[in-house]
Amino acid sequence: MSTMTMEELSEKLAKIDFCMFNTNGGSGRINSRPMSNNGDVAYDGDSWFFSYEDTEKVSEIGRDNRVALTFTAPPSILGKPGIFIAIDGEASLIRDKAQFEQHWVKDLDRWFPKGVDTPGILLIMVSARAIEYWDGEDNERIELPAVDAVSGDAI
């Protein structure tokens, strides 16, 4: 069994536009919704998503920042199974326009018509704590070190 590197995982994620973004809805309920990774996958363990502030997912993250992301790629043209990726992480809500600009892609104009100046916009950063993948041949669980949000250093 070979172990996929973070760079290889990044290449796989770059080809998958949408994931299911899962939050704790309270009372033991998990809420899921599709979200686009916007091609922002120079992957180091962080995933980036734009949202409006006044959404259920943002309220849920405010109460419990533990989230899960699931990605699925279709089988190859030759029939090899696609990859399945599950990310267990912690979400941070970012309201910094400079960060918006770093992660903005033109396709987001469809949902946020005034770009980074759209009222009520925010950025959700999901920092992975563990990543599991299955690709029909290999499967692996990768544990990532916790990182201090202020310094960026491993804890």
Side-chain angles (χ1 to χ4, degrees), residues 120-132:
I121 193 175
L122 61 72
L123 187 58
I124 302 170
M125 179 183 77
V126 175
S127 297
R129 297 295 169 246
I131 303 169
E132 292 183 79

Side-chain angles (χ1 to χ4, degrees), residues 2-21:
S2 65
T3 301
M4 193 176 299
T5 66
M6 288 297 279
E7 184 177 338
E8 292 166 329
L9 190 59
S10 177
E11 290 172 14
K12 302 277 187 188
L13 283 168
K15 296 176 185 173
I16 307 171
D17 188 14
F18 285 90
C19 73
M20 292 304 288
F21 190 113

Side-chain angles (χ1 to χ4, degrees), residues 6 13 19-24 33 35-38 40-51 57-58 60-61 64-71 85-94 99 103 122-131 144-147 149:
M6 288 297 279
L13 283 168
C19 73
M20 292 304 288
F21 190 113
N22 307 283
T23 55
N24 182 343
R33 77 277 297 153
M35 297 284 289
S36 174
N37 66 24
N38 306 312
D40 194 356
V41 292
Y43 203 66
D44 58 3
D46 292 335
S47 300
W48 303 88
F49 304 91
F50 280 92
S51 178
K57 72 180 157 297
V58 170
E60 291 167 353
I61 291 167
D64 183 347
N65 73 337
R66 295 172 298 172
V67 301
L69 309 174
T70 56
F71 296 84
I85 302 169
I87 298 173
D88 175 30
E90 295 178 4
S92 301
L93 303 174
I94 299 169
Q99 290 266 354
H103 297 282
L122 61 72
L123 187 58
I124 302 170
M125 179 183 77
V126 175
S127 297
R129 297 295 169 246
I131 303 169
L144 283 83
V147 175

Side-chain angles (χ1 to χ4, degrees), residues 12 15 73-83 135:
K12 302 277 187 188
K15 296 176 185 173
S76 75
I77 199 164
L78 300 174
K80 180 181 185 277
I83 191 167
D135 72 355

